Amino acid sequence: MLPSIVADPAVTTALAADLTSAGFTVDRLDSLWGAEAAASLHRGSRVAALRALAARETTPLGTLATLFVLGLPVAGAEAVAAFPTAGLDAVIAAGLLRSEGEGDGNAADALVRPTVDLRPYAFVDDLGAGSWWIVSDLGELALGHAISEEHVLGIGGATTTLSGLQVPVPVERVLDLGTGCGIQAMHARRFADRVVATDISRRALDIARFNAQLNGIDGIDFRFGSLFEPVAGERFDRIVSNPPFVITPRREGVPSYEYRDGGMVGDALVETVLRGLSEHLEPGGTAQLLGNWEYHWGVDGLDRVRAWFADTDLDVWVIERERQDPTSYAETWIRDGGTKPGTAEYDALMGAWLDDFADRRVTGVGFGYVVVRRALPGGPSALRRFERVPETLGSNPAGLGATVARVLDAAAWLAAHDDAALAAAHLAVAGDVTEERYYWPGNDDPTVMTLVQGGGLGRRVDADTALAAFVGACDGDLSVAAIIGALAQITGVDEQALAADLLPAARDLVLDGMLLPTS
């Protein structure tokens, strides 16, 4: 049974002081065992890190790293030295450690083992650089066996993806649906007066509450319950969620992990969450989520997602980043739970997964981002975009949140500007847009011209001569109509025909953030 995590403010404050004093940071850990060992740890091996520690004198930083990052025991005396402020007994009572082999009841004489993972986490958002310490449950490497179904996940790729998607605009209230270890609620609190964080796992809420206290973050209301039940009748300015979207067979013998499996058939949980957004968003409120959606025989996955929003007043932008076939998808998530290939358990789970997909005519599973905004009263739905962007994204040190905000603003601007208003507008090329040109050897004229976005989604737009010239002339001084008129005169092309080609292209470039309205 997993130990209870107790969030005592006196203990978390003292523990934070000990972590700070030891230099328990991302940079110091990387220096402690080196880049090669850190990379090896990321691949699931701690041998190189252990060899690096063995060559160094024992310090509180090394003890903390051994316990909470490598998941290995240390001598009680070393543990005592690592917690001079909090005290070893208090850290044990909080549920982070346990002692073994005590002879006279003194933990200093015992072997001390970690019961959780606790590691530093560094990030950058639109408010600047920050760092926290994050508690989660021990992973497969530390446990030496498959994780439990009550496992509370720590920082992963999906974590940083969603935190980067959060719109960096100050608001009053945010809902973090399915908070897990609390990381999204903590990120949301940087831009919100108050945050409500919900989860169906009481252990997750205990850990999330501990993490908030450990990092001195207040203003988060932790609530127990499924989906929107804990916030019935309430509305929010922003909703963020990394829901338990993994599509797992609902069959006997298949483990269901609270952090990833929603307990519904197929992608029904993601559908339920998306359909519930409108009821819980304030007018003008936004939502940023991750999710999976199924492809069925003869039915496109993005078409299925589009149907979930058919009867809503929401602006919707869905970006599919990846699509897996049923076999690859099953392999990914069976391995994620700690069941290793080549075992009877693995083969049985593969059979259950593939039978489930075959029975429901699933041909693939898409993964991606969902961005939503509830329209203001009387305002039209300005954005319905369902697209696949499997390519490498642009450079976004602070995440995609600012890009999301710009696209939503651009969609609203475009909805308020018909073609006549667009023609009268002044546009400027975004600072991260460049142009690539390719020539056949010996030719003076380019064969291919491509507009390239350096940030955001890193879009690449092929441009003919007219579009390239139009974009090149967009410096904010001339109106769109004036530029089109000048190009028509220079090239001898009918102005109305040229406008018919360039105005839709200009709309797309504004929506993509490659052209920016200056008025």
Side-chain angles (χ1 to χ4, degrees), residues 126 161-169 238-240 285-290 315-319 369-373 383 385 387 393 396 398-412 453 455-457 459 510-513:
D126 281 56
T161 295
L162 181 58
S163 64
L165 276 177
Q166 291 197 36
V167 174
V169 175
R238 184 172 302 137
I239 297 173
V240 297
T286 67
Q288 297 91 54
L289 309 93
L290 304 182
D315 294 338
V316 182
W317 182 22
V318 178
I319 305 169
Y369 322 147
V370 180
V371 175
V372 163
R373 177 171 57 188
L383 180 64
R385 197 175 203 186
E387 60 179 332
L393 300 178
N396 301 282
L400 284 170
T403 297
V404 170
R406 283 195 295 270
V407 169
L408 292 174
D409 289 344
Q453 185 179 49
L457 297 185
R459 296 188 187 275
V510 169
L511 187 60
D512 290 339

Side-chain angles (χ1 to χ4, degrees), residues 74-77 99-103 106-112:
V74 300
S99 60
E100 296 179 349
E102 296 181 41
N106 186 357
D109 297 330
L111 193 66
V112 176

